[in-house]
Amino acid sequence: MDFKDFNFNPDLLEGLLAMGFRNATPIQQEAIPLILAKKDLIACAQTGTGKTGAYLLPVMNMISQTENRHNNTLILAPTRELAQQIDLQVEALSYFTNISSLTVYGGGDGIAYEQQKRSMREGVDIIIATPGRLISHLSSGLLKLDQLQHLVLDEADRMLDMGFYDDIMRIVSFLPEKRQTVLFSATMPPKIRKLAGTLLKDPEQISIAISKPAAGINQQAYIVHDSQKVKLLTELMKNVDFPSILIFASTKEKVKNLGKVFRGLGFKAEAFHSDLGQKEREAILSEFKNKRVPVLIGTDVLSRGIDVEGISLVINFDVPHDPEDYIHRIGRTARAATTGTAITLVNDKDKRKFANIEKLIDKTIERMPLPEHLGEAPVETAATSSSRPEHNRDRKAPQRKFWKKKPKTEGSAAKSEGTAAKTEGSSSKPEGVASKAAGAEPKTAGAAPKAE
């Protein structure tokens, strides 16, 4: 379906076409007409399906046609990274319009806070906010949303996972009852349906292609002991040429440790976690997007908040607890009709969780053989393998290596040999770290910088 078929405001359509978009995605085809009809909506759609445009475009079109534009729309997001990403898309789409937006989140400096206060006093069309900081502005009386017309909750499931239910309900208490409410979620557990039943009135429902990874993702798994994980990744990263690698670990502490380990081994790697200041996090994301830092390490929060083109390899250092999070993690690669690779390292205690992932996606993920010098891999038991999809259970994964060695000259071979010896000699450090560790936007040219 062509975007011209929606009869958008000409200025909004011009910005859309200038970004190179012509045809709507499935979620956009279904959601846009319903939102334009001012229906409440609950939509289930994964990141990467075009869900942000699915609500931004109709809301921005309605804003362009209304006189009451003072604090017209509120978009709630779970993380500052997602809030910034949404704001950048507003900037790009509104380039030929006079629609204004403001992001509200914690962690900024005094100057940014004063800019927020000034913008709120003067009024903007769209406010994109994380719940915590928004509540402080509402409680102080600085921000008035009693005339709000549109409320959007993006990644509502993640907000509930992060404990924002009470914050959301408190924010809603400041809003008029007569409003349009749109809720987007990647999953639809009972708690989301309960929230929707509380906030939405006679909502329409859409569910688009959930729980299936993109066809262009080459999914692979290594069955490993914890002590083999860092050694395996080191070998993989040294012997393949991936310009952009995203590594997911289970906890913030493990993210920090992996960052130290890989930098110590000579990789340009950055650990992305909540202990960093806002400017540090923005700088790291910018370096990663511009391919100046090829390796980024983070937790599942990063899987929902990052929108970077050209990620060629995603590595699950740990199997995610929730099978749906596996979909989000590996969905960072093979976007926009490209291809990519996703590798998961599975230890003994994570085999059952990995079997649940295979059951969810109805696919047996190819097992890759460990390099012989890393030692024996754990044996997959019959009990674990019995949880795999029935139609794939007897299929044996081809025993082929994931990588091809880079060609080396005689001179560089000796150097490589020396490096290998050095790595082997220092292997106790990565092992120690691995065993010890248990434990959030593209912008078009010319768009004005926003207040933080």
Side-chain angles (χ1 to χ4, degrees), residues 42-76:
I42 178 171
C44 189
Q46 294 174 210
T47 299
T49 57
K51 65 178 179 62
T52 308
Y55 63 76
L56 279 183
L57 288 168
V59 166
M60 293 173 70
N61 188 73
M62 288 187 283
I63 289 174
S64 68
Q65 297 173 345
T66 185
E67 294 182 2
N68 181 18
R69 295 174 52 165
H70 184 90
N71 298 340
N72 177 281
T73 298
L74 171 63
I75 301 172
L76 290 178

Side-chain angles (χ1 to χ4, degrees), residues 116-246:
Q116 288 183 13
K117 288 170 61 178
R118 184 172 63 252
S119 296
M120 282 185 274
R121 280 195 299 267
E122 296 172 354
V124 294
D125 298 324
I126 301 174
I127 297 171
I128 305 129
T130 54
R133 179 50 62 93
L134 183 69
I135 285 177
S136 66
H137 288 308
L138 288 170
S139 300
S140 69
L142 177 65
L143 177 62
K144 301 289 186 182
L145 295 178
D146 53 324
Q147 299 298 312
L148 189 91
Q149 295 187 28
H150 311 285
L151 170 65
V152 179
L153 287 79
D154 197 352
E155 296 196 359
D157 53 344
R158 179 58 59 183
M159 280 195 275
L160 295 190
D161 287 343
M162 295 171 70
F164 284 135
Y165 178 84
D166 290 341
D167 288 347
I168 292 171
M169 298 311 296
R170 188 173 178 193
I171 289 168
V172 169
S173 70
F174 288 90
L175 309 182
E177 287 191 19
K178 187 177 180 181
R179 64 175 189 273
Q180 181 181 28
T181 304
V182 175
L183 185 153
F184 275 79
S185 179
T187 59
M188 204 56 62
K191 60 186 177 182
I192 288 294
R193 296 198 178 277
K194 179 182 176 183
L195 178 67
T198 304
L199 301 183
L200 283 67
K201 297 179 180 178
D202 301 320
E204 300 287 339
Q205 297 188 36
I206 300 173
S207 182
I208 298 289
I210 63 169
S211 301
K212 294 293 179 183
I217 303 176
N218 178 17
Q219 300 177 64
Q220 301 174 357
Y222 286 88
I223 310 301
V224 296
H225 296 291
D226 278 335
S227 61
Q228 297 169 318
K229 285 186 175 183
V230 171
K231 295 177 183 178
L232 174 61
L233 286 197
T234 300
E235 189 151 344
L236 289 175
M237 292 160 64
K238 281 183 176 178
N239 289 282
V240 294
D241 185 21
F242 282 108
S244 190
I245 301 173
L246 197 53

Side-chain angles (χ1 to χ4, degrees), residues 74-377:
L74 171 63
I75 301 172
L76 290 178
T79 65
R80 73 181 70 175
E81 287 75 31
L82 180 57
Q84 290 169 325
Q85 176 184 319
I86 296 168
D87 188 48
L88 287 169
Q89 292 198 41
V90 173
E91 286 187 11
L93 291 169
S94 65
Y95 189 73
F96 298 102
T97 75
N98 61 351
I99 294 174
S100 60
S101 63
L102 169 71
T103 50
V104 177
Y105 48 81
D109 55 25
I111 296 176
Y113 183 71
E114 289 303 318
Q115 289 175 330
Q116 288 183 13
K117 288 170 61 178
R118 184 172 63 252
S119 296
M120 282 185 274
R121 280 195 299 267
E122 296 172 354
V124 294
D125 298 324
I126 301 174
I127 297 171
I128 305 129
T130 54
R133 179 50 62 93
L134 183 69
I135 285 177
S136 66
H137 288 308
L138 288 170
S139 300
S140 69
L142 177 65
L143 177 62
K144 301 289 186 182
L145 295 178
D146 53 324
Q147 299 298 312
L148 189 91
Q149 295 187 28
H150 311 285
L151 170 65
V152 179
L153 287 79
D154 197 352
E155 296 196 359
D157 53 344
R158 179 58 59 183
M159 280 195 275
L160 295 190
D161 287 343
M162 295 171 70
F164 284 135
Y165 178 84
D166 290 341
D167 288 347
I168 292 171
M169 298 311 296
R170 188 173 178 193
I171 289 168
V172 169
S173 70
F174 288 90
L175 309 182
E177 287 191 19
K178 187 177 180 181
R179 64 175 189 273
Q180 181 181 28
T181 304
V182 175
L183 185 153
F184 275 79
S185 179
T187 59
M188 204 56 62
K191 60 186 177 182
I192 288 294
R193 296 198 178 277
K194 179 182 176 183
L195 178 67
T198 304
L199 301 183
L200 283 67
K201 297 179 180 178
D202 301 320
E204 300 287 339
Q205 297 188 36
I206 300 173
S207 182
I208 298 289
I210 63 169
S211 301
K212 294 293 179 183
I217 303 176
N218 178 17
Q219 300 177 64
Q220 301 174 357
Y222 286 88
I223 310 301
V224 296
H225 296 291
D226 278 335
S227 61
Q228 297 169 318
K229 285 186 175 183
V230 171
K231 295 177 183 178
L232 174 61
L233 286 197
T234 300
E235 189 151 344
L236 289 175
M237 292 160 64
K238 281 183 176 178
N239 289 282
V240 294
D241 185 21
F242 282 108
S244 190
I245 301 173
L246 197 53
I247 301 175
F248 289 104
S250 57
T251 67
K252 178 173 62 178
E253 291 307 314
K254 190 174 289 189
V255 167
K256 293 179 183 178
N257 287 333
L258 287 174
K260 292 175 183 177
V261 168
F262 288 122
R263 285 194 298 272
L265 292 171
F267 295 101
K268 287 186 176 180
E270 290 289 351
F272 188 91
H273 51 82
S274 59
D275 285 351
L276 296 172
Q278 178 187 330
K279 290 185 177 179
E280 290 177 288
R281 295 168 76 176
E282 291 175 357
I284 289 172
L285 279 180
S286 176
E287 292 288 290
F288 184 65
K289 289 177 181 179
N290 292 307
K291 305 296 187 289
R292 290 190 287 268
V293 170
V295 182
L296 185 64
I297 309 161
T299 61
D300 284 312
V301 173
L302 186 61
S303 72
R304 303 290 188 102
I306 189 172
D307 187 12
V308 177
E309 297 294 330
I311 295 175
S312 47
L313 174 62
V314 172
I315 297 172
N316 295 310
F317 190 83
D318 303 299
V319 178
H321 178 73
D322 186 343
E324 290 280 0
D325 285 330
Y326 175 82
I327 306 291
H328 290 290
R329 286 185 183 187
I330 72 172
R332 301 304 89 201
T333 189
R335 304 188 75 181
T338 61
T339 59
T341 300
I343 298 174
T344 303
L345 308 187
V346 187
N347 63 14
D348 273 322
K349 69 177 183 293
D350 286 343
K351 286 178 181 177
R352 178 63 62 183
K353 288 191 288 187
F354 193 67
N356 291 336
I357 289 170
E358 292 184 308
K359 186 176 181 180
L360 175 67
I361 66 176
D362 194 29
K363 175 185 175 70
T364 296
I365 297 170
E366 181 181 7
R367 270 56 168 177
M368 308 303 294
L370 276 179
E372 291 181 5
H373 62 275
L374 293 184
E376 292 293 324

